Each structure stands twice: as structure tokens, then as C-alpha cells.
Amino acid sequence: MHISYNWLKKFIDFDWGPDELSDRLTMSGLEVEGQVQFESIPGGLRDVVVGEILTCGKHPGADKLSICSVDIGFDEPLPIVCGASNVASGQKVVVATVGATLHPIAGGTLKIKKSKIRGEVSMGMICAEDELGIGVSHDGIIVLDPSTRVGTPACEVFNLEKDTILEIGLTPNRVDAASHYGTAREVAALLGKKVQLPEVPEFDPSTQVSNPIAIDLPEPSRCDRYVGIYIAGVKVKPSPDWMQFRLKSIGLRPINNIVDITNYVLHELGQPLHAFDADRIRGNHIVVQTLNEDANFTTLDGIERSILAHKDLMICDGKGPLAVAGVMGGQNSEVDVTTRNIFLESAYFEPSGIRKTANRLNINTDASYRFERGADPHITRIAALRATAMILELAGGTASRIEDVQKDEHPWFEIEFDLSHAKRIMGINLTKEKIVSILTSLEIQVAEGVDKEKLMLLVPPYRVDVKRPQDIMEEILRIYGYNKVPMPGSSSMSLNLTQKIDTSALAQKYLDQLATTGYNEILSCPLIPETFSKDTTVNLINNLTSEMAVLRADMVYTGLETIEYNHRYKNFDLHLVEFAKTYHRSKDGYTEKEWIVLYLTGSARPANWQQKVSPANIYTLTREMERLESLFGFRGIFREMEENETYVYGVELLCGKTLIARYGRLQNALTAKREIKGEVFMAEIDWEKLLKEYEKHQVKYIPPSKFPSIERDISMIVPDKVSYSSLVTAIRACNPKLIREVGITDVYKGSRIGEGKKSYLVNITLLDNDKTLTDKAADKTMCRIFQMLEGDFGVEVRR
């Protein structure tokens, strides 16, 4: 559902900007999924200003062109070549400056650039109506009033409208908010104010025409209220600009003034309306009924539909159907330019019948959306009067008296509300006065119950989702503010990261993430042979066997043992993970350390018809470390690790100065002891240090940017002593706001670049979350990166 910010303010006065309004509505249950800026002319005529033609002379190389000197408020006037026949010195004109993007009526876009026209420099364009998109005329340039001030933005001269449109993800139970009036009621409840309904006058009987259309409701269980007004002598034509702007802003296509008014009132008040060409109503009789036998009926979209007897409610005249009730009108009574008299319908239809018909016919309209969820039966008359007043204003004509046929009163819902029980369930001790104030702001009538702890409530029929005490509690909480409800004690789950972290659940979350990428969890025995005993290892006093005499001090032995076992059974492609402990002895006593350890052998992914076997390598583990950063909310530093007794080569992952993990290829001497053929890669993640960093770095959700990114590649020759991780860290530091990703796509070492050097091809992704990133801004960042690489690292950049 789309809600116009400016339109909403017509109902209620509030000071919240679009962002704060979005947050408030979301917290109250109307989730705002996004915002869109809408302008009456695309681009809003940015970089288009008022100019004054100082001089105007003939172009030396073209008879039909003129060379103008135009003052737009800059230090120097601009030279502009113009081909309009009516251009002359002294005129105030509209100038599109270099860099402006126009959206002409003919379609497409026109980017204004510095150019040469027949050898003469032109620094802009003097515009006609169709070139700006404000009209269709191309007879000549726009000549403004001489009093117009030079340099004034064109958007001010032409009073261009702009608006912020809120995209609300309305849940099915909140049809009461499916309009600007309904959303305004939410804002009013949050502010404790009153909503201002638009003026809906009754019409002077002395000026009324007679209503020739009779109304009959033979099936009140399907339609129990039907309001009709006959309006004679209307003139069907396009709607005024202001109405077209509002309809376009919320995604509707203007059709004509009559149809547009019915759509306008629908989105204003939430009540669907339909206008019939009154001269096409045969027998001057409207009957709301189901048919006695199956029939075919052509709806407004030009599709012939199969109508079921005794199933689908229809609006009929004296000879047959005119519309599918509550869903869509028919072609045989459509309002068009030939229409002179109309019959306006505003009704209440039973929701389940409308839902079944709309689903069966596969028609989803704004009307069916509201009727099938439960429209407000008390607003039918108000909506009809509101639309009639607008029709008389915008289309002319004379209205009849209003025909309001009502078979049912639709009473308000009665609910007995126990205050003490509600406070216990809600978990907050609100005063009775506060609860009454909230309920009153929601237009719920409050009366005293049989005792002081009970209230008798009357809920308006438009709140179809509020029928039980539990629903009342929800209403109180969402208006009071869920964020104000105190968190429960430590025995309950908390979303507050400052509270004690459930480490087991967090570990399981990471293990589950690894499982989705193909890892299998293992559980190995921490007891290893006594041959691994050292001064710092923990030895068992009463060991049962020499093969299980020592508690492991690292995860290498047990991991290789599992890999050997699997290889023995021809299972070579392994992705293993273990959450385990190591044990250590020192002069201060015994300690345990928790680790998450990953093991890789064989291929990173199996071969198939689309791709060959891809062997596992250190970059396979790097991808898992990047996922680790994402899950635990920190940006680490990857640093190359020197060869040691465990790893041939590897990488360390640091957060600041804290070593979080290390990973790489295990030494051949270690794998050979277990008779393992092929390379084995292992990653050791220090769980305790990771948790400490997790407590410091609260994970924040950042919505995906709606603006496009720019990718640039850098080919560079790097001294061997310079690590790739140090380059990445330095590149990111050049512009942390714009640089999103830094990745390596190619590495080369060989005779072509000389001894002691390596070649990298690095891909950089740049993105601005606030606006579309320009090539100029991207180039500026890339120049900064080039200077840093050459100056700080001695890198040779291939430009």
C-alpha cells in the first residue's frame, strides 16, 4: 500500500518528517518497507534555471541558428547556441545547464553536455515546453515574465510538486488502515490528536434533480447497505493536474475525472465506489443479487468471465448484470467521454462472498482487497457525499437526493476488559487513566464495568481485527510502545546484546551456517597417545591405555585421525567442522580453551556437467572466515602467516590486535604420519576471543542499497615482501564510506615481471548508500588508492 506524506498531512497536523513517521508507524504495527521520492516531472528540473539573454546574434555557419550570451547568475554569461525562431535578446528564458538531465515529453532522457555546434561552443540549452516535460508545445522556447529573477530554479518558477511516498506492508487484518484516512487515525492515536475528515456536505434539496434509479437488496446477507446518487449533466474530461499528481504518486493511472474521483476517494477514505453510465442502466433499476443461472459477463478489463448462479454477487439492472459486486464493473455500463449522466454506488458487501468470487475469477482490485477483508459499513454515506461534491466541482452537473438503503445497523463490538488481568499479561503496570486515554485515541468507546477493575468497551465495526480482550491488549501495547515494555528477568530470552550471551546457541548458529555450505560436524575423543606428552600437556593419572593417556593440547591429531579414517574408506572430499576443547597445564594450574576447527581435503565442490573439479585450497577457508566476520559483526584483518611446525603457509585473522583465527595448509610431515595423501587445510578459530569481540561489536542491520555500485580493476606489480592483506587494509582505509569490497581475481609470478615481484589483478567495488555514485567521485577515490599504493608500498600500477 502506498501512502502520500503530503496527502496524509491533509488529515492531521504533525511535525514528524518522513523518516520519523516511518519509524513510528512501523513500531505501531504498520510496517513501512520503504520510501520513494515522487516528482511531478522526473528529475524535478534539477540544474535548470532562469536566464536572461544579454545578446543574440546569427550563427556564422548556420542560417537557422543563433548564438546567445545568457546570464544565469554566474560570474560570466554562458555562450549557448539556440535554434528557436522566437529567441531574442532581453528575454527571460529557461536554461538547462551542463550536467542537467531532461525528460522530454517524447520520452527518453536528454543529458546536457558542453558541445560544439557548427564550430561554436554551447554551454547549455534554452528550453521549450516539451523538452522540459511540462507541456507539448515545441513552437519555440519558453519566454518568462520579465520580472522573473535570474538564477531562480525552474522548479520554483513552475511550482513543481514533489512528495514522499511510504510503502507500507499492510497485514491482512489491518484493512482499517488501507487508506490515508485510516493511516491518519494511526498517527492520531500515537499523538493523542483528532483526525480531520474532509468536508462532506449534504446537498440543497431545492437544487436537486429527481433520482430515477430504484435500488433493491433482495439478499441482505450478501449486501445489507447500498447508497446511490444520481448526477445529471456531467462533463467527462481529464482530471486537474493536482489530482493526477496524487493518483500517479501512489501508483494509479489517471483515466478521466469521474473514474479518478472514485479512485481518489477510495484511497482517501478506504471506501470503494463505482460510477455507472446512468443512461445504460436498463429499466432504471439496480438490483444486488446472485443470478438464477450461469452466465458470461465482460468486465472493464475486456475479459469475458464465467459467472456462477447463486454464487457470485452481481449488480444488475432490469435486464441483466452490470458489475461483479465489490470486484469490478462491466463494459456495458462504463463511463466514457460520451457519458452525460452517472449513477454513483457506495455499498457494503459481505466479505467472504467477495473473497470467493475474486479468487475464483482471478481478479485482484483495490475494491476487492478492501471488501473481502471487511470495509467500514458506516462510511458508505460519507464517501458517496464526498465523491459527489468533488464530481460537482470538477465535472459539473446536478445531484439527486441520496438513496441510502440499509438492512442492518452493524452494531459496535462489545468487549468486557479486565484491567488487572490485562496488566498481568502485558507485563506493564499502566494506570487506568492511561489505558482509557489510549483506547479513546483509537476511537474505542469506554464505559465503567461492574467493578473498578473492569471496563465495558465498544469497538467500531471498521476494526474487524479487535473482537477479544487479547486484541485490546495488543492495541494498548502497540500504541504505548513495545519498546517501552521492560525486558523480563534472566530466566527469559533477551534480544539485548548487553545481557549474558547464550554461547551454546551462538555456536550452534555458526555450525548450522557451515552445514548449509556442505560441512559435516564431527565429535572426536580428546584423549590421544602418550607419545604426544609434553611439559604443558595434561596427563591422565589412571589412564586405561597408552593410546588414551593425554588430553590433547591442539586439534591437529584428532582431526587427522578422522581424515585418515575417511580416506581409508575412499571418502576423500571432506568438509569437516568440530566445536571442541583443548587442555593445558602451567605453573598456575589447568586451563581449557574452546575452538571451532575446520578441516578440508580433496575438492571444494564435486564435478558436474557445468564445471570441473575445483580442489579445496586456502581461499576456500578464506570464504568461510569472511562469513564468520559477517555473522559475528566485525571487520577483520587478514595477515599472511610464516611457515611453522604446523602450517606450510597460512593466514591469520585479526580483529584489531586480537588474533581470532589462523588457517592454512598443514605440513606434509604431519599428514604423512597418518598416511594421508594430498593436501590438508585446517582453520583454528579461538572461540573465547571471538566471543569477546562479539560483545564489543553489536551486529547492525543495514538495508541493501537501492543505488548502483561501480566496479574498478587495478592491475599492479607488487614486491614479494608486500602481503596482499596489507594492501587490502590500506585500500579500504582510502575511503571506507565508498569502498565496499576488495577482491583478488588473478595472481601471476614469473619471468615476465622479473625476480622478487608478483602481479595482482584486484577488483574494487564502490557504492554510496545515500546517492548514485558518479564516475567523477569513483575516479577521485581510485586516484587516492593509486597514490597510496605507489607511495607507501612501492607498487607499480598499470594504468
Side-chain angles (χ1 to χ4, degrees):
M1 181 183 72
H2 295 115
I3 292 294
S4 158
Y5 177 81
N6 293 341
W7 195 350
L8 190 66
K9 296 200 78 170
K10 297 291 183 180
F11 286 95
I12 184 168
D13 182 36
F14 57 90
D15 297 328
W16 302 333
D19 290 338
E20 186 174 2
L21 175 63
S22 298
D23 291 341
R24 299 271 189 158
L25 289 176
T26 298
M27 289 302 295
S28 72
L30 301 185
E31 182 181 1
V32 179
E33 297 175 336
Q35 296 180 17
V36 176
Q37 300 302 315
F38 185 83
E39 297 168 318
S40 55
I41 293 179
L45 298 184
R46 277 182 282 276
D47 300 318
V48 180
V49 298
V50 174
E52 181 178 5
I53 300 177
L54 303 178
T55 62
C56 180
K58 188 176 179 181
H59 192 292
D63 292 338
K64 295 185 178 181
L65 297 179
S66 302
I67 301 176
C68 302
S69 176
V70 184
D71 176 18
I72 64 169
F74 287 3
D75 293 338
E76 297 290 336
L78 301 179
I80 298 177
V81 176
C82 180
S85 59
N86 65 329
V87 64
S89 60
Q91 292 174 333
K92 295 288 181 68
V93 293
V94 182
V95 179
T97 61
V98 173
T101 300
L102 304 182
H103 297 262
I105 286 291
T109 58
L110 177 61
K111 181 80 172 181
I112 306 301
K113 301 177 181 179
K114 178 182 177 181
S115 60
K116 274 193 173 183
I117 301 176
R118 298 287 182 91
E120 296 294 331
V121 174
S122 183
M123 295 291 291
M125 185 172 81
I126 305 173
C127 302
E129 280 187 6
D130 63 332
E131 292 166 336
L132 293 176
I134 62 173
V136 296
S137 173
H138 193 68
D139 294 338
I141 59 171
I142 300 171
V143 179
L144 301 172
D145 187 281
S147 63
T148 310
R149 183 173 56 84
V150 169
T152 302
C155 61
E156 296 179 11
V157 174
F158 298 109
N159 295 317
L160 298 189
E161 292 188 76
K162 59 182 179 179
D163 199 356
T164 300
I165 308 303
L166 308 183
E167 298 176 351
I168 298 179
L170 201 64
T171 52
N173 63 318
R174 291 304 309 276
V175 68
D176 64 286
S179 66
H180 287 77
Y181 175 52
T183 304
R185 282 191 300 230
E186 285 292 296
V187 177
L190 294 170
L191 290 171
K193 292 185 175 183
K194 292 289 185 181
V195 178
Q196 183 64 46
L197 262 173
E199 186 177 348
V200 284
E202 295 281 354
F203 304 106
D204 184 356
S206 64
T207 63
Q208 292 174 352
V209 297
S210 61
N211 186 352
I213 311 297
I215 300 170
D216 189 14
L217 307 180
E219 300 181 44
S221 63
R222 300 291 299 273
C223 174
D224 59 23
R225 189 172 191 184
Y226 193 98
V227 174
I229 299 179
Y230 178 82
I231 307 173
V234 299
K235 184 177 181 180
V236 179
K237 57 185 178 180
S239 301
D241 291 342
W242 67 266
M243 179 173 284
Q244 292 197 35
F245 174 79
R246 283 198 177 169
L247 293 177
K248 288 177 181 178
S249 73
I250 59 174
L252 298 181
R253 178 176 61 88
I255 299 173
N256 58 54
N257 52 355
I258 304 298
V259 176
D260 291 351
I261 287 169
T262 61
N263 285 330
Y264 185 92
V265 174
L266 163 64
H267 287 273
E268 181 182 55
L269 301 180
Q271 171 63 29
L273 304 172
H274 186 69
F276 299 92
D277 186 325
D279 297 330
R280 299 184 186 182
I281 300 176
R282 296 158 295 188
N284 287 337
H285 193 196
I286 288 289
V287 184
V288 185
Q289 63 182 6
T290 55
L291 302 182
N292 293 325
E293 57 184 27
D294 293 352
N296 293 329
F297 178 71
T298 303
T299 48
L300 282 171
D301 55 6
I303 299 175
E304 189 174 68
R305 315 271 183 180
S306 177
I307 304 302
L308 298 182
H310 306 297
K311 295 288 186 181
D312 301 322
L313 190 67
M314 303 295 292
I315 309 297
C316 303
D317 62 9
K319 293 187 178 181
L322 297 174
V324 183
V327 180
M328 185 179 286
Q331 279 191 338
N332 58 351
S333 59
E334 179 181 8
V335 172
D336 57 27
V337 292
T338 65
T339 300
R340 293 295 174 264
N341 307 304
I342 65 171
F343 179 75
L344 184 66
E345 165 196 287
S346 179
Y348 175 83
F349 301 109
E350 187 270 326
S352 64
I354 302 300
R355 181 173 63 253
K356 291 173 183 177
T357 295
N359 288 343
R360 190 183 64 75
L361 297 178
N362 194 27
I363 304 177
N364 294 305
T365 62
D366 286 337
S368 66
Y369 176 89
R370 287 156 178 81
F371 279 131
E372 69 187 25
R373 287 163 174 79
D376 182 3
H378 292 169
I379 207 170
T380 52
R381 184 185 184 95
I382 295 173
L385 290 172
R386 168 67 169 159
T388 301
M390 296 183 75
I391 290 171
L392 297 179
E393 178 185 351
L394 302 180
T398 307
S400 72
R401 64 182 176 84
I402 189 167
E403 294 290 339
D404 188 352
V405 181
Q406 188 170 0
K407 301 288 187 178
D408 194 350
E409 293 296 329
H410 288 279
W412 291 37
F413 306 124
E414 292 187 7
I415 299 175
E416 185 179 69
F417 190 64
D418 190 321
L419 291 171
S420 58
H421 175 70
K423 292 175 184 178
R424 187 166 60 252
I425 297 299
M426 293 189 297
I428 51 175
N429 188 26
L430 295 179
T431 64
K432 182 178 179 180
E433 291 73 21
K434 181 63 175 177
I435 291 175
V436 170
S437 174
I438 290 174
L439 295 176
T440 303
S441 72
L442 291 165
E443 300 184 359
I444 296 173
Q445 294 181 10
V446 182
E448 292 289 346
V450 293
D451 59 51
K452 292 183 178 180
E453 286 301 311
K454 291 185 179 179
L455 299 174
M456 293 304 299
L457 307 178
L458 289 177
V459 181
Y462 67 77
R463 287 308 304 271
V464 294
D465 60 320
V466 181
K467 296 183 178 180
R468 306 173 301 163
Q470 294 91 327
D471 300 329
I472 295 294
M473 294 180 205
E474 181 182 356
E475 292 299 293
I476 294 170
L477 284 172
R478 68 182 188 82
I479 298 301
Y480 175 72
Y482 288 114
N483 56 324
K484 297 179 183 177
V485 178
M487 297 302 294
S490 58
S491 60
S492 300
M493 182 180 70
S494 172
L495 298 178
N496 189 343
L497 294 180
T498 61
Q499 307 237 348
K500 186 176 180 180
I501 297 171
D502 187 344
T503 57
S504 298
L506 191 59
Q508 191 58 53
K509 185 176 181 180
Y510 182 55
L511 294 174
D512 290 343
Q513 177 178 286
L514 289 169
T516 63
T517 58
Y519 282 79
N520 293 299
E521 187 175 359
I522 62 174
L523 182 62
S524 59
C525 178
L527 297 172
I528 60 177
E530 62 183 4
T531 53
F532 289 88
S533 177
K534 300 177 183 178
D535 292 338
T536 58
T537 55
V538 179
N539 301 309
L540 298 185
I541 298 175
N542 297 316
N543 59 296
L544 298 177
T545 169
S546 61
E547 294 298 311
M548 303 175 70
V550 178
L551 286 169
R552 64 188 171 202
D554 60 56
M555 298 298 299
V556 176
Y557 177 87
T558 52
L560 292 177
E561 185 180 46
T562 303
I563 293 170
E564 180 192 24
Y565 180 86
N566 278 271
H567 280 199
R568 198 180 303 142
Y569 287 90
K570 309 299 181 183
N571 187 13
F572 299 106
D573 299 330
L574 300 174
H575 287 60
L576 307 175
V577 59
E578 183 172 14
F579 184 61
K581 292 181 179 180
T582 58
Y583 306 87
H584 311 272
R585 177 164 57 92
S586 67
K587 61 181 181 179
D588 297 322
Y590 299 95
T591 57
E592 296 178 355
K593 282 185 67 69
E594 289 184 300
W595 303 85
I596 292 181
V597 188
L598 282 63
Y599 307 94
L600 293 179
T601 67
S603 62
R605 65 177 74 91
N608 57 46
W609 64 276
Q610 287 183 311
Q611 58 187 13
K612 298 179 180 179
V613 172
S614 175
N617 53 39
I618 194 169
Y619 302 108
T620 311
L621 286 174
T622 297
R623 284 195 293 272
E624 298 306 334
M625 295 301 107
E626 290 171 345
R627 292 191 182 101
L628 181 80
E629 288 178 291
S630 177
L631 179 62
F632 287 86
F634 69 94
R635 172 79 72 176
I637 300 171
F638 291 83
R639 183 176 66 190
E640 291 182 4
M641 179 171 58
E642 295 181 358
E643 183 176 356
N644 53 53
E645 60 180 6
T646 304
Y647 296 97
V648 180
Y649 57 85
V651 175
E652 294 175 336
L653 173 60
L654 298 95
C655 183
K657 296 182 179 180
T658 304
L659 179 63
I660 299 296
R662 62 176 190 164
Y663 60 97
R665 177 190 160 192
L666 292 181
Q667 290 284 1
N668 292 337
L670 296 174
T671 58
K673 289 180 182 179
R674 308 299 303 190
E675 298 182 352
I676 297 172
K677 296 180 180 179
E679 298 177 336
V680 177
F681 295 88
M682 184 176 84
E684 300 166 278
I685 302 168
D686 191 323
W687 180 244
E688 295 173 9
K689 291 181 180 178
L690 184 61
L691 285 180
K692 289 180 180 178
E693 293 303 323
Y694 179 67
E695 292 176 348
K696 297 177 186 176
H697 301 83
Q698 183 173 347
V699 179
K700 293 183 179 178
Y701 169 72
I702 299 176
S705 175
K706 62 182 179 182
F707 299 105
S709 61
I710 293 177
E711 291 191 12
R712 296 290 173 85
D713 291 330
I714 304 178
S715 179
M716 62 182 83
I717 297 176
V718 184
D720 264 341
K721 63 180 181 180
V722 177
S723 67
Y724 171 67
S725 61
S726 63
L727 291 178
V728 172
T729 302
I731 289 172
R732 289 187 185 278
C734 286
N735 195 336
K737 180 183 177 182
L738 296 187
I739 298 174
R740 289 291 179 269
E741 299 293 339
V742 180
I744 190 166
T745 57
D746 193 26
V747 179
Y748 171 78
K749 292 185 73 171
S751 58
R752 284 185 291 174
I753 59 173
E755 195 75 26
K757 297 180 180 180
K758 51 193 174 184
S759 174
Y760 286 158
L761 181 60
V762 175
N763 177 264
I764 299 176
T765 302
L766 302 105
L767 175 68
D768 193 326
N769 278 330
D770 301 323
K771 60 181 181 297
T772 299
L773 184 62
T774 63
D775 285 334
K776 183 178 180 181
D779 290 340
K780 186 176 180 180
T781 298
M782 294 305 296
C783 287
R784 194 183 306 167
I785 293 172
F786 294 157
Q787 293 171 0
M788 177 275 299
L789 291 173
E790 293 169 344
D792 296 351
F793 293 93
V795 169
E796 178 184 345
V797 178
R798 297 178 176 180
R799 298 177 187 263

